[in-house]
Amino acid sequence: MRKKIVAGNWKMNNNLEAGIKLAQEVLEKATGNEEAQIVLGTPFIHLNKLAESIVGKKGIEVAAQNCSDKASGAYTGETSAEMVKSTGVNYVILGHSERREYFNETNQELAAKLDLALTNNLVPIFCCGEPLEIREKEEHYAYVKQQLTESLFHLSANDFAKTVIAYEPIWAIGTGKTATSAQAQEMHAELRNHLADHFGQELADTCPILYGGSCKPSNAQEIFAGADVDGGLIGGASLNADDFLAIVNSF
Ligand code: 13P
């Protein structure tokens, strides 16, 4: 059976104190028997503290929200995959649409980030998804498949087996507008077929594909019911421990 994952993406929210408090609240309120792996995607400033106080407790994991496409060197302000790993966390979110849009991340750069993440034993949560105009032109399947082809298809079977994918239609992020459960399931099934064409059915069948975009306690159960929807990447609702855990418990 595929692993189920519900990951929070705090984005650029919570200073050090507020982030620790939120993570502690999630830890206290989690039962440890959740059906889904809980991952907290936090700003870099929280990683080391949370690695010490949260990672592994009740099975909770912590993710960075980015890493550099360079291994080390004179890249002021950047944080390498090796540095992320050295904090004690095990996951990294890569290629979020906000990073693609505001920081011009390309599929090719993301391929390099994936390599560095995997070399440093970080589990990448690779984000993909189409903007509204692409969906309106009905080119969304081709668009998202190309993101996977250009960033993931160079991976070895071994590395691909460690990779998590998050489909986040950009028009559903922070807008209150979710994809319908049918739209999410259709895209996830398309992506899994695309992965199967390249990596083989067996590996494609083990790859968790998460949905992201205005996921809330009120709609998570319906969205997660899709056969190819293996969990969620949660923005706004992950900033509240009760809402986040309600989503985690929506399977
Ligand atoms: P919202 O849940 O706030 O729509 O954000 C989704 C997202 O971007 C998660 O990475």
Side-chain angles (χ1 to χ4, degrees):
M1 211 176 75
R2 269 193 298 276
K3 188 168 180 175
K4 294 181 168 56
I5 301 172
V6 175
N9 175 8
W10 294 358
K11 309 193 179 182
M12 196 171 73
N13 293 294
N14 290 319
N15 65 18
L16 185 58
E17 191 187 346
I20 291 169
K21 194 163 161 244
L22 173 57
Q24 283 295 347
E25 195 182 341
V26 172
L27 176 62
E28 276 159 29
K29 291 182 172 172
T31 63
N33 289 318
E34 282 79 11
E35 265 197 60
Q37 166 76 62
I38 297 175
V39 183
L40 303 177
T42 79
F44 289 126
I45 60 158
H46 298 100
L47 296 178
N48 189 228
K49 280 266 184 209
L50 298 189
E52 287 165 358
S53 58
I54 301 283
V55 169
K57 298 202 176 131
K58 297 188 182 170
I60 300 176
E61 293 285 346
V62 171
Q65 297 173 11
N66 182 30
C67 70
S68 176
D69 63 336
K70 308 288 193 303
S72 67
Y75 301 103
T76 303
E78 287 290 276
T79 302
S80 70
E82 194 266 334
M83 291 170 179
V84 170
K85 183 68 186 184
S86 76
T87 67
V89 306
N90 300 311
Y91 282 73
V92 62
I93 298 169
L94 292 176
H96 191 279
S97 60
E98 287 148 18
R99 296 215 53 87
R100 293 173 186 264
E101 183 178 353
Y102 305 133
F103 304 98
N104 304 315
E105 289 189 351
T106 63
N107 291 338
Q108 288 69 29
E109 263 169 26
L110 290 168
K113 291 189 182 201
L114 274 154
D115 288 342
L116 286 163
L118 288 158
T119 303
N120 286 286
N121 293 316
L122 290 167
V123 176
I125 301 179
F126 175 77
C127 303
C128 55
E130 80 286 355
L132 185 59
E133 64 270 22
I134 295 290
R135 181 160 283 260
E136 283 172 345
K137 282 195 273 178
E138 297 190 359
E139 291 169 1
H140 44 293
Y141 292 133
Y143 183 93
V144 183
K145 283 184 198 173
Q146 191 177 349
Q147 290 179 321
L148 298 193
T149 304
E150 292 185 4
S151 297
L152 298 185
F153 276 19
H154 68 288
L155 295 179
S156 66
N158 203 24
D159 276 347
F160 172 68
K162 299 174 192 151
T163 301
V164 175
I165 292 172
Y167 168 62
E168 301 200 299
I170 297 173
W171 44 272
I173 295 179
T175 56
K177 192 174 162 183
T178 51
T180 62
S181 48
Q183 282 173 324
Q185 168 55 27
E186 272 161 21
M187 178 62 88
H188 286 218
E190 280 283 330
L191 296 184
R192 198 175 307 285
N193 284 337
H194 187 55
L195 294 168
D197 286 345
H198 183 77
F199 290 107
Q201 193 68 50
E202 204 176 318
L203 269 184
D205 279 343
T206 60
C207 177
I209 306 181
L210 318 182
Y211 168 81
S214 299
C215 226
K216 301 185 279 275
S218 57
N219 60 24
Q221 193 169 13
E222 198 186 333
I223 293 170
F224 295 170
D228 289 284
V229 181
D230 306 309
L233 184 55
I234 318 300
S238 74
L239 299 174
N240 176 289
D242 292 319
D243 286 351
F244 181 61
L245 287 168
I247 295 170
V248 171
N249 288 312
S250 292
F251 285 98

